[in-house]
Amino acid sequence: MDALNKPDRDDSSERDSAALKDVVWRKFDRWVLPMCTAMYLISLFDMNNIGNARIAGMQTALKISDSQYTMALTLTLVPYFSMELPSNLILKRVGPDRLLPAMVTMWGIVAAMQGLVTGYTGLLFCRFFLGLTQGGLFPGLVLYLSSFYPRERLQIRITAFFASTSLTGAFSGLLAAAITKMDGVGGKPGWAWIFILEGSFTVIFGIFSFLVLPRSPETAHFLSPQERCYVVSKLKSSKAISEDERTDGFSWIEVLRAIRSPQVFMLCIVVFFGGTLLFGLAFFEPTIVAGLGYTGNQAQLMSVPPFILAFLASIISAVHFRPVRLPWTYGDILRDLVHSRVFYVLCSATTSQHVKYASLLFSVTGAYASAPAEITWVANNSAPHVRRASSVAFVSVASNAGGILAIWLLGSLSPAPNYTAATITFIAMSIGLVVVSSLNLLYLVRENRAKAQIRLSMTKHDEPEHLGDRSAWFVYTL
């Protein structure tokens, strides 16, 4: 009788699983993903609005030179990337529901204080503490999302929240154009109000996020017990989380294994090149637009279209690779880099203002659309938790190191409006990025083939424990 009833139970179980599949990921998309997106969006407003404040008169008001402005940007990134690894390593112990909102609230206070500075020293002080309090957010969000979504569902979610990067560039120009009309209100110049209003909103949102952000899928209040069990089962089967919680405890050995992983090393190079391109545009796109002959509010508004196009391209790119099979991340990177190189080539080949602006559309689109694929590649191919946390932090550090190079290239070493030295460097980096990405792809393909051979010759129980992504049963995503 039991044998006769077993098919019915199996059919019922499959129907329940299909129903849960449609429900639980939508719940995460409603509760978790919007909060992560909002956090990252706000962080980029507060990090990059100094470019809009500069156009609005901050540099003249504070009597600082171009090299001093460049130093202020550099001072932001040094403490920023020094906090990325420590923050990721303590994220699980402290709890993302506490640490991430605390970061948001603290940097919001610092961001608002930039509107009160009256000299160069005050600006340096604020930029240092802005980087210090904000540094752990991006790798923390990537690590946080990787504990909620299976690996095959992760890229589109990281793309969705990273697409807010390009929205920042778009809306920061629109907001700045509106806020600078408050010039003189309360005795403050318009550029100061950019910092004060945006920073104040960040503080309010940080306090709100303490009440909303769930700690983990197991404790998410919006899931039923059955849904929690389903999510944990799916995360374990996809290797997004470890099957044994004990393997997720902190270990310096796992940090060292992350450093020694060939794919992590190659992706650090890839993300360094990509970070140079990305940060250069994030910090200097308004300045580049102003150098094309646009001034005042017109320059603020003309800085918007490239980022709108980048946002749309990022979403379309991710949705195109949304099937159940694992995403071809390499294809995303290669395609988007072709777009980004158009700007640099055209910039060096033409003097036309309109052609240069049109090519800027391709550059911003390519740089911003490829970044989510790069960070997803390392998050999907690192396990267990501490190794993934370390790997994500290392590539984020590499990205910010590229940002420092971009700041000096565009800020001091390559004069506007042609940015000749920077353009040549960016073209070389785009080529290097494609080469190293291709090497990483070949390495992962070779490793997957070797693992397939091992799986034919032994069972999983015969394999040593705690191998993480080195396990023959962990298939690398391409």
Side-chain angles (χ1 to χ4, degrees):
M1 197 71 175
D2 289 341
L4 292 174
N5 288 336
K6 186 175 180 181
D8 292 336
R9 288 199 301 268
D10 290 342
D11 290 343
S12 176
S13 176
E14 289 178 6
R15 286 195 299 270
D16 290 344
S17 178
L20 288 171
K21 177 182 176 180
D22 292 335
V23 171
V24 295
W25 310 123
R26 284 204 299 266
K27 285 190 175 182
F28 286 156
D29 290 344
R30 286 198 301 265
W31 286 91
V32 177
L33 188 59
M35 290 298 296
C36 292
T37 302
M39 283 184 173
Y40 196 52
L41 177 65
I42 291 170
S43 76
L44 293 167
F45 270 113
D46 292 330
M47 174 67 77
N48 299 336
N49 59 10
I50 190 171
N52 300 108
R54 183 189 193 188
I55 292 177
M58 180 198 72
Q59 185 171 352
T60 303
L62 298 183
K63 297 181 174 64
I64 60 177
S65 64
D66 288 345
S67 60
Q68 287 177 316
Y69 175 79
T70 303
M71 181 58 69
L73 297 183
T74 304
L75 193 61
T76 310
L77 291 182
V78 172
Y80 188 101
F81 68 65
S82 69
M83 289 299 297
E84 290 178 309
L85 179 60
S87 175
N88 253 22
L89 293 180
I90 67 171
L91 183 69
K92 189 171 184 178
R93 179 176 294 273
V94 175
D97 57 326
R98 296 176 182 175
L99 187 58
L100 296 176
M103 279 191 255
V104 175
T105 305
M106 288 189 293
W107 94 59
I109 295 171
V110 177
M113 289 177 62
Q114 292 176 104
L116 306 179
V117 301
T118 57
Y120 182 55
T121 303
L123 181 64
L124 290 179
F125 181 87
C126 288
R127 296 304 294 185
F128 176 85
F129 282 99
L130 182 65
L132 192 70
T133 52
Q134 201 179 89
L137 184 78
F138 177 68
L141 288 175
V142 172
L143 187 62
Y144 180 62
L145 284 174
S146 71
S147 68
F148 278 85
Y149 292 99
R151 291 195 298 154
E152 67 271 15
R153 295 179 180 271
L154 185 60
Q155 180 173 344
I156 190 171
R157 271 74 184 189
I158 289 181
T159 299
F161 98 80
F162 196 88
S164 63
T165 309
S166 48
L167 282 182
T168 303
F171 288 111
S172 62
L174 294 173
L175 271 178
I179 293 174
T180 50
K181 293 180 180 179
M182 294 179 63
D183 187 50
V185 175
K188 296 289 181 185
W191 64 263
W193 281 111
I194 294 175
F195 293 127
I196 294 170
L197 292 183
E198 294 181 8
S200 299
F201 176 81
T202 300
V203 174
I204 295 170
F205 182 82
I207 296 171
F208 168 74
S209 60
F210 274 108
L211 307 174
V212 178
L213 201 68
R215 185 184 185 94
S216 66
E218 295 95 323
T219 60
H221 65 88
F222 49 83
L223 294 181
S224 68
Q226 183 186 16
E227 290 168 343
R228 290 171 188 163
C229 291
Y230 171 81
V231 169
V232 172
S233 173
K234 284 296 182 182
L235 291 173
K236 287 181 178 180
S237 65
S238 77
K239 310 298 183 185
I241 62 175
S242 300
E243 294 184 11
D244 186 352
E245 275 287 322
R246 292 172 296 178
T247 64
D248 282 345
F250 177 76
S251 169
W252 282 110
I253 293 176
E254 292 298 341
V255 178
L256 294 175
R257 285 173 178 166
I259 297 175
R260 294 200 300 261
S261 295
Q263 75 267 25
V264 174
F265 176 75
M266 284 187 279
L267 283 171
C268 280
I269 298 174
V270 168
V271 175
F272 172 76
F273 290 156
T276 305
L277 306 174
L278 186 66
F279 275 95
L281 293 169
F283 281 124
F284 287 94
E285 195 262 1
T287 305
I288 293 172
V289 171
L292 295 178
Y294 303 103
T295 58
N297 269 4
Q298 186 187 26
Q300 302 279 18
L301 295 174
M302 290 300 291
S303 69
V304 172
F307 292 107
I308 293 291
L309 184 60
F311 170 75
L312 296 175
S314 297
I315 297 299
I316 292 171
S317 172
V319 170
H320 179 68
F321 286 95
R322 194 173 181 170
V324 175
R325 63 180 175 81
L326 297 178
W328 276 83
T329 315
Y330 172 77
D332 281 1
I333 296 172
L334 188 63
R335 183 191 59 252
D336 296 327
L337 281 171
V338 170
H339 293 158
S340 69
R341 288 181 60 190
V342 170
F343 168 68
Y344 304 116
V345 172
L346 289 180
C347 266
S348 61
T350 184
T351 58
S352 168
Q353 169 189 344
H354 299 296
V355 173
K356 285 189 174 185
Y357 182 79
S359 63
L360 185 62
L361 297 172
F362 289 97
S363 176
V364 174
T365 298
Y368 278 78
S370 64
E374 295 163 12
I375 197 68
T376 303
W377 218 0
V378 72
N380 268 343
N381 289 331
S382 300
H385 173 82
V386 173
R387 199 182 307 175
R388 179 181 292 120
S390 303
S391 300
V392 171
F394 288 142
V395 297
S396 190
V397 168
S399 175
N400 287 298
I404 292 178
L405 175 60
I407 286 169
W408 285 96
L409 273 174
L410 292 168
S412 299
L413 302 179
S414 187
N418 294 324
Y419 300 104
T420 303
T423 300
I424 294 172
T425 302
F426 291 157
I427 291 173
M429 283 187 165
S430 296
I431 296 172
L433 204 158
V434 172
V435 170
V436 181
S437 295
S438 301
L439 291 175
N440 188 54
L441 175 68
L442 293 174
Y443 169 77
L444 295 178
V445 169
R446 189 193 70 178
E447 288 297 300
N448 280 345
R449 288 174 179 169
K451 289 182 177 186
Q453 292 299 316
I454 294 173
R455 291 196 298 272
L456 293 175
S457 61
M458 64 185 293
T459 66
K460 189 173 182 180
H461 295 292
D462 296 329
E463 186 180 63
E465 296 182 343
H466 312 317
L467 291 179
D469 60 69
R470 305 304 299 173
S471 167
W473 277 261
F474 187 103
V475 180
Y476 291 122
T477 66
L478 307 178

